[in-house]
Amino acid sequence: MKNVVEVQPNDGKLAILIPGLGAVATTLIAGVDAILAGRNAPVGSYAEMGHLPTADGERVRVKEAVPLASLEDVVFGGWDIYEGNAYQAARRAKVLSNEDLSACQEALERVKPMPAVFDHEYVKNIDGPNVKSAKSKWDLAESIVADIKGFMDANGCDRAVGVWCASTERYIEPGPVHQTVSAFENGLKENHPDISPAMIYAYAFVKSGVPLANGAPNLALDIPAIVEFAKREGVAIAGKDFKTGQTLMKTMISPGLAARMIGVEGWYSTNILGNTDGAVLDDPGSFKTKEVSKLSVIESILEPELYPELYGNITHRVRIDYYPPRGDNKEGWDNIDIFGWMNYPMQIKINFLCRDSILAAPVALDLALFMDLAQRAGMSGVQDWLSFYFKSPQRNGDVMPPHDLFKQQEDLFVTLREISSRSSVKAPKIASAS
Amino acid sequence: MKNVVEVQPNDGKLAILIPGLGAVATTLIAGVDAILAGRNAPVGSYAEMGHLPTADGERVRVKEAVPLASLEDVVFGGWDIYEGNAYQAARRAKVLSNEDLSACQEALERVKPMPAVFDHEYVKNIDGPNVKSAKSKWDLAESIVADIKGFMDANGCDRAVGVWCASTERYIEPGPVHQTVSAFENGLKENHPDISPAMIYAYAFVKSGVPLANGAPNLALDIPAIVEFAKREGVAIAGKDFKTGQTLMKTMISPGLAARMIGVEGWYSTNILGNTDGAVLDDPGSFKTKEVSKLSVIESILEPELYPELYGNITHRVRIDYYPPRGDNKEGWDNIDIFGWMNYPMQIKINFLCRDSILAAPVALDLALFMDLAQRAGMSGVQDWLSFYFKSPQRNGDVMPPHDLFKQQEDLFVTLREISSRSSVKAPKIASAS
Amino acid sequence: MKNVVEVQPNDGKLAILIPGLGAVATTLIAGVDAILAGRNAPVGSYAEMGHLPTADGERVRVKEAVPLASLEDVVFGGWDIYEGNAYQAARRAKVLSNEDLSACQEALERVKPMPAVFDHEYVKNIDGPNVKSAKSKWDLAESIVADIKGFMDANGCDRAVGVWCASTERYIEPGPVHQTVSAFENGLKENHPDISPAMIYAYAFVKSGVPLANGAPNLALDIPAIVEFAKREGVAIAGKDFKTGQTLMKTMISPGLAARMIGVEGWYSTNILGNTDGAVLDDPGSFKTKEVSKLSVIESILEPELYPELYGNITHRVRIDYYPPRGDNKEGWDNIDIFGWMNYPMQIKINFLCRDSILAAPVALDLALFMDLAQRAGMSGVQDWLSFYFKSPQRNGDVMPPHDLFKQQEDLFVTLREISSRSSVKAPKIASAS
Amino acid sequence: MKNVVEVQPNDGKLAILIPGLGAVATTLIAGVDAILAGRNAPVGSYAEMGHLPTADGERVRVKEAVPLASLEDVVFGGWDIYEGNAYQAARRAKVLSNEDLSACQEALERVKPMPAVFDHEYVKNIDGPNVKSAKSKWDLAESIVADIKGFMDANGCDRAVGVWCASTERYIEPGPVHQTVSAFENGLKENHPDISPAMIYAYAFVKSGVPLANGAPNLALDIPAIVEFAKREGVAIAGKDFKTGQTLMKTMISPGLAARMIGVEGWYSTNILGNTDGAVLDDPGSFKTKEVSKLSVIESILEPELYPELYGNITHRVRIDYYPPRGDNKEGWDNIDIFGWMNYPMQIKINFLCRDSILAAPVALDLALFMDLAQRAGMSGVQDWLSFYFKSPQRNGDVMPPHDLFKQQEDLFVTLREISSRSSVKAPKIASAS
């Protein structure tokens, strides 16, 4: 049964708190500044630009259908292992042109990273000086809790929301320490090696009553301990791994092939990227985490169990190669071997010259806005209606959320309509140029 | 209000009558033989392989949900300007390997084309000897009516359905002669030059009470005279232009870009193909017809009126080049210039090495089966629920059918569920290997 | 017999005078400034960076082998139909980033265009105010002669060289007025419509004793009148059409296929570009000129007369499409249908995301430096040893220069070695960062 | 000093003996049969189709310039780990259509593999029953010697030549056992583990006085022991690794970029292939061998030592992925990041849909014909003038042969002209359709 409680209003300031003030986060901050200044529209943000089809076919601006936080009320903060402010981080990230960075310099310089929880065992290929030290993981979690409270107080924020934008941690199998809240809390106190930094952040956010979305493929929000804790504390969580380049394309094209009963014999995907994410993924442990996140997409959409002749024997390969010349401009090349009538083979090749952070930033923004909305709407635990934004959407209970982008969109619509029906306060100040 | 009449059963033989026994038609006939012989599954045919999601989320085989004709009950016939039988035509078309052709030789040789209605003014770059001559277009129409009846009698068929698979006629603007049934009938008698061969077939099919789908971009079924005639006679019609290669891809990808509010600055599409279709389209008049059919797709999906900043200024170019080395293997190259957050540009390039007739044959089959179903379900006039199969779906009244493949699929599901609710006879003999 | 006269020294200042101060010219000027300031190496310039293999296999810097003008001694000037200085033109051209333009602003602002000879009949899709008017084409030529002299005097230049960088004129067939110097001079006086602006410049340069290279596909230097005039006056000329993107690739790959006796069945080339050149080529007359320049390349290299089974039946198509989203960043897509052992087909697809002016600027520089050298070396008439730089190299007498990039390179080497053997003054000041 | 001995005539039958009767070898045999029957020209074979430019610019058919063996005099034989004849092997390889295989069935069935020397330690991912067993590697070598003699006697052959067409062995570092003939012979007797099957064949061919070319990247002909042995015995050897798809393209394009001084920042190459070669290369040991062979190509051509600003910092990545849907049709995708004037970046992307064995077969044929010629011309040891055909051309003494395809072609011409000058017997029977 859906909750009939009224949605809380979007009054007051909202802190968007980001573990990992790197390429994605600084691009997000710069873009919000540009939108507020009227320099460009919030391109890529469904929450800011999109429409919601009502049950009777009308189209209403999302911002008029549900009470989202206004961008004017947002204050950005976060943690990072590097010390420089967000302007310095953005220059290092080389996502934006110097001209665009200059225009946003003031807004970026305001954001200074708090010292991060970091463990080199979980992310091999980077290191930095701005790191917390404490005698236990429990103390690290408490330090994050204090950071959140301190930031909100200092900035006069009524609410906060978190979006994980830090690097991909190495793959680990969930173990006993991840199964219950109490086992996990003991593990924090005993410095259990299977508790990764991302999990420490996750625990601290939930403990602070602050919803959190996970933009990377780590399992921090998937482990039973955190899911249970979030439900108990009434906190919304959602993951995982921003769906941006190649996987986004896969979830557009696979449903189309399936709709037409076109067979698939093989799908070969290679990615080249030269940013920190690429360097991190050059470590086999981190790549494993990513690969697991990427491989299941096609199979879930094509349903080989229903169509064994069409999809029962697919060779699916995914490669990610660190290639510095590409910088933050990720490039994907996909070769899809399909077959049609009388089994005749055909080929589709897709070369996607994309930009990692440019695609991820509006996803991070939408997640922040919708997670804040969900929290105000009294929705706790896994927000599987936000699968639209994730490469590897987290399940809520037994039902697997879809990978098909269009089914995900429908799920998004359904929930937004439901929230809309419970909202009396609507129509925030419209800050964007759109 | 939907009709509550019960759907007529799928007993007896069904004639599939095809103007244009060329590459698509012979590939269709060969494939149906291969399916009946168990050599391969009906890949690409939703009607034969697909499932229908019920209102409560179950999945039922389409063939079990609605009483489609069985492939075992199908008899193929048609018209062509060349004299040879379908085996000879298939060898000339070079779509299928000699091995596959040998296996289907008997089935193909059975199909001998009736003399065609043809007018060199409408299709410049081909010519052939197997052509009807008569003193008026009226007499030509009467001759088609007689052909249909003769074929059904000779083959013991209870029902028939037509699928236009002949070449693209040159572009013409609809004029007064196309506006009413009586003006059109006068035009037939007076040999009005604006009545094309495809229109003569359309008139004759409707007059014979036989539903007709239009796989080419000509306007034969779109003109008011034929729409009115079809409604009056209670005949189902549907068009136009099989959605196969590049346009199929466009209607998968555009909805995905729109879902994510990713801007589009330009879309450049070029096609190379070397078959008769390519030769015909080398004539500017025929190309114009095709271009009109292809250009509106993106705009319709992206809704620039709602999103002027994202889609208000798209450079959209479509090229088709006759390139003999490619044979029937059409190839498309698309370059899509998109932009994201802060207007940063990105590019998607899609190279589709497809096969024209391999993609079109199952579309022709599905249309034949669904049009026969619609006719038995008492549905007359334009069948806009079949937009899923068309590059340029025909409107029924004022409402434009969608171009978005996934909305088209939903429309297909809705109507099939409605027909299913009226069907007592279901579950045809399942002939395919699947 | 080669000239045994000694090569004149590279003392004094050299004016590089450019009809068409647009994208290519301003990029050239900006880049020379950046090189002189040590901001980057002269990438793409063989004259500035390259080595000459000596007969005994040693490698000598070109600048040490022959007495080229030093970049420090170069002064730029030119003509354009727009009034703004080169900085304003460069901003309009959008080739270089604002940051790079700022660094070169002073050097660019120094260059102000002289009023151009222009005729809208020859270039349809552009127009501008900075145009000479005179009562005859003869007077226009005299005005150019005066411009050249005036510029050299004002800037203290000892020598000058011209490089045509203006737009592609429409295609015309050479007629009687182009056959002899006297017919041409009469034509100038009588305002003969078949004398294009480029021809007027060509006449004026030769009359001024200033060598001229032609970077566009117009026939200005090819007509017998100008060839005869250049020989008579002892002036070096060379054409035509800078070899930059797709044709450059063709002349690399075709020789490789030919070396290996790999057959070619088809070559489909499409180009999209959005700069003024693209707009100009959207006029069929101008495109025809370009197409003629582009089509002969492959045939000349593959020698179908020697290898009819391999190259006797090639479908070669070239498309250029004006596509504004691409700006100055030209993009080519080539599909090459090849065949090998037992005639089995294979395909090569090349997607070249290039930049028109970035590729053309160093070609223009090399031509200026080598034409000045040729003039000082006493070489008059057509300089066919510079075919390396041209899409459609101009013949000198009966012998066709090669299109094969590697044979062109060998011709360049041979002539440079010959000039080197006659040079006593060498080793100019080396200004570049390299 | 070049040898002035006259070239021996091309009388009598020539055995072409092939270790590895798989995809390449059977495609070669089928194609020679098709050429002799006049079904197609010897496409891809320079020896059969090409012309030699003489010193004074004339062009002479290679077959008229030097006394090559006639295809009519060739008898094929070989060794394989599978038992079936070449027809069965060819069907398994799936390179040729069933139609083409039927036409060559008789010629292929005549060729039955002799039992192979095989060691699973060197090639992990395949295995087969038709394998020699002996108590020492010395005995295995003797068995090959006996096979060669037996085959020549049985088929009335006057001469023989070998071409290695078997799988890629795992990478090994040369050790002491490979340094001298005597150490190697001791190693054979003592079953030294570092002596691979390919080395045993190499030893046996040299011992038999039969020249051998190496089409795979193993080091069999590179080790000092074999080089020394070949010189001592007066036997011609040449290696290694047929230059076919992606590397062939690299050696066409790199020289072109270098000619124009266009900078290279990165070169990313990925290959997908699904044949036995792909399966073998899925083993990291075998891939290492291939990777070493592929990586040095670009650097050797671009000369970073001369042009540090242009080529001093290239990220070069090579991937090979086993991808069964592709079968024998190898596919390469290259992304080349280049930069031009003012360091502006551009990109070239090459998608090569090639066919491994179709490209390799004429290379194997040319090597057989030219190695036989070299042997008759009295040329012993490493034939570095055949670098044109190899991915990793073997050095003869200290001089590295070029990778640049056009310099390799020039080396080929120079040596053929030299041999031609010593040949009195020329103009063999011309068997081909050309």
Side-chain angles (χ1 to χ4, degrees), chain B residues 276-288:
Chain B
T276 307
D277 202 22
V280 166
L281 292 172
D282 225 28
D283 170 54
S286 292
F287 175 67
K288 178 74 190 298

Side-chain angles (χ1 to χ4, degrees), chain C residues 27 44 51 59 97 100 243 260-261 303 307 309 341 344-345 347 349 351 353 355 388 406 434, chain D residues 27 44 49 51 59 97 100 243 260-261 303 307 309 341 344-345 347 349 351 353 355 388 406 434:
Chain C
T27 303
H51 290 75
R59 241 88 71 76
S97 71
D100 284 333
K243 179 153 83 174
R260 278 295 189 89
M261 299 283 110
E303 303 179 295
Y307 302 108
E309 295 116 323
W341 190 244
Y344 273 64
Q347 298 176 29
K349 286 145 208 309
N351 184 207
L353 290 95
R355 295 171 186 265
F388 183 65
F406 307 99
S434 68
Chain D
T27 302
M49 295 197 81
H51 290 75
R59 243 88 71 75
S97 70
D100 285 333
K243 178 153 82 174
R260 280 294 190 88
M261 298 284 110
E303 303 180 292
Y307 303 107
E309 295 117 322
W341 190 244
Y344 274 63
Q347 298 176 29
K349 287 145 207 308
N351 183 208
L353 291 96
R355 296 171 186 265
F388 184 65
F406 307 100
S434 66

Side-chain angles (χ1 to χ4, degrees), chain C residues 157-171:
Chain C
C157 294
D158 301 278
R159 309 182 315 280
V161 63
V163 185
W164 175 272
C165 293
S167 293
T168 298
E169 299 182 337
R170 76 171 163 80
Y171 187 73

Side-chain angles (χ1 to χ4, degrees), chain A residues 77-198:
Chain A
W79 298 262
D80 205 88
I81 62 172
Y82 300 111
E83 280 165 335
N85 62 40
Y87 178 71
Q88 294 166 306
R91 286 194 70 98
R92 203 167 50 235
K94 292 201 176 70
V95 174
L96 302 175
S97 71
N98 288 336
E99 272 179 303
D100 285 333
L101 284 173
S102 298
C104 306
Q105 183 164 354
E106 200 184 311
L108 286 163
E109 283 178 345
R110 269 199 301 271
V111 183
K112 294 180 187 67
M114 298 177 273
V117 176
F118 183 73
D119 182 345
H120 198 259
E121 283 304 300
Y122 279 89
V123 182
K124 291 281 184 206
N125 293 357
I126 57 170
D127 226 332
N130 195 34
V131 171
K132 288 182 196 300
S133 66
K135 67 177 200 301
S136 74
K137 293 185 176 183
W138 175 268
D139 292 351
L140 290 171
E142 289 297 323
S143 172
I144 298 290
V145 169
D147 286 348
I148 293 173
K149 183 165 188 324
F151 185 93
M152 290 177 70
D153 290 350
N155 290 280
C157 293
D158 300 278
R159 309 182 315 280
V161 62
V163 185
W164 175 273
C165 294
S167 294
T168 298
E169 299 182 339
R170 76 170 163 79
Y171 186 74
I172 52 162
E173 288 289 338
V177 73
H178 305 118
Q179 298 307 313
T180 65
V181 178
S182 61
F184 187 82
E185 290 180 338
N186 283 336
L188 283 172
K189 287 168 188 162
E190 293 165 5
N191 277 330
H192 195 292
D194 287 356
I195 295 182
S196 76

Side-chain angles (χ1 to χ4, degrees), chain C residues 342-363:
Chain C
M342 299 181 75
N343 298 338
Y344 273 64
M346 296 171 284
Q347 298 176 29
I348 302 172
K349 286 145 208 309
I350 300 177
N351 184 207
F352 191 178
L353 290 95
C354 64
R355 295 171 186 265
D356 215 20
S357 303
I358 293 295
L359 287 169
V363 168

Side-chain angles (χ1 to χ4, degrees), chain B residues 138-160:
Chain B
W138 177 269
D139 291 351
L140 289 171
E142 289 297 321
S143 172
I144 298 290
V145 169
D147 285 348
I148 293 171
K149 182 165 190 327
F151 185 92
M152 291 177 70
D153 290 349
N155 290 281
C157 294
D158 300 277
R159 309 182 315 281

